[in-house]
Amino acid sequence: MRIAVLFSGGGTTLQNLIDATRDGRLPGIEIVQALSSRRDVGGIARCEQAGVPCDVVDRRDHLEVMSHSKAVFAKLDEAKLDRLVLAGWMNRLVLPPAWLDKRVINVHPSLLPAFGGKGMYGRHVHEAVLARGCKVTGCTVHFVDNGLDTGPIIDQRVVPVEEGDSAESLAARVQAAEREALVDALRMLV
């Protein structure tokens, strides 16, 4: 399976996938392309170190979501991909019809449908979980559609909320669950 990984930051999820393709946890999967939504992020250096081709389609160069989405897919369509993985992609992405057939997956830092949708990403999710007084949270790997965190669920992992948790301590445990869940979901899809 030929995949591309989209990211917007340090690329820790990307690195997890690179490592999993090399250490045998993801047999039959090849990362043939990576794409960043920013020029100034650490994930690009991870691609260089791993020998993964990486393009940048900077969101700041596009005034509208649709313009950015079209530029992203123009780059990706050249790679002849089987799947696309959103791994810390922090931008709205409108999928063209050819990509709406469960070819795009995302990992989200909550148990969807809870704490999904507009404004629910990264630290904001963990702060909302703590503010609500939840006893558990987790992560969801799901297919992407053109809604916000509304696509069909592939896998979920539960993470307990511990007494005295901060957004940072909770995020660290959720991210560990995300790394496992994303690898397991991709392995199921091969």
Side-chain angles (χ1 to χ4, degrees):
M1 179 188 304
R2 294 169 53 86
I3 69 169
V5 180
L6 274 61
F7 63 94
S8 297
T12 56
T13 304
L14 164 69
Q15 186 67 56
N16 179 54
L17 294 176
I18 291 169
D19 294 345
T21 61
R22 294 184 175 174
D23 67 17
R25 288 179 289 147
L26 283 176
I29 292 181
E30 178 185 9
I31 301 171
V32 298
Q33 179 71 42
L35 191 139
S36 175
S37 66
R38 296 181 53 173
R39 290 182 182 89
D40 56 350
V41 295
I44 295 169
R46 291 178 190 272
C47 289
E48 290 170 1
Q49 283 186 309
V52 174
C54 183
D55 286 313
V56 176
V57 179
D58 200 309
R59 176 64 176 100
R60 296 169 290 195
D61 294 340
H62 299 271
L63 297 177
E64 298 177 350
V65 169
M66 188 57 81
S67 169
H68 187 236
S69 296
K70 285 181 180 179
V72 165
F73 283 100
K75 288 281 187 191
L76 295 175
D77 285 342
E78 299 168 9
K80 297 182 177 41
L81 301 165
D82 296 309
R83 289 215 190 269
L84 178 59
V85 178
L86 307 184
W89 179 257
M90 304 303 280
N91 302 275
R92 180 85 164 91
L93 188 65
V94 178
L95 305 183
W99 285 89
L100 283 170
D101 61 353
K102 296 183 179 175
R103 291 177 60 201
V104 182
I105 67 171
N106 182 46
V107 61
H108 183 80
S110 76
L111 295 171
L112 291 175
F115 304 103
K118 187 176 173 93
M120 286 289 112
Y121 60 91
R123 179 184 180 88
H124 303 290
V125 172
H126 308 301
E127 289 172 344
V129 165
L130 293 170
R132 182 69 180 218
C134 295
K135 301 301 180 200
V136 297
T137 186
C139 65
T140 303
V141 180
H142 65 97
F143 289 111
V144 176
D145 58 18
N146 279 327
L148 289 175
D149 302 320
T150 56
I153 292 170
I154 302 167
D155 193 10
Q156 290 184 306
R157 302 293 165 95
V158 174
V159 174
V161 177
E162 296 177 358
E163 189 70 32
D165 258 337
S166 65
E168 293 80 14
S169 63
L170 185 56
R173 289 197 315 283
V174 170
Q175 288 166 353
E178 287 177 348
R179 287 189 291 274
E180 292 176 11
L182 185 56
V183 168
D184 287 349
L186 281 169
R187 199 169 34 242
M188 283 190 299
L189 295 171
V190 170

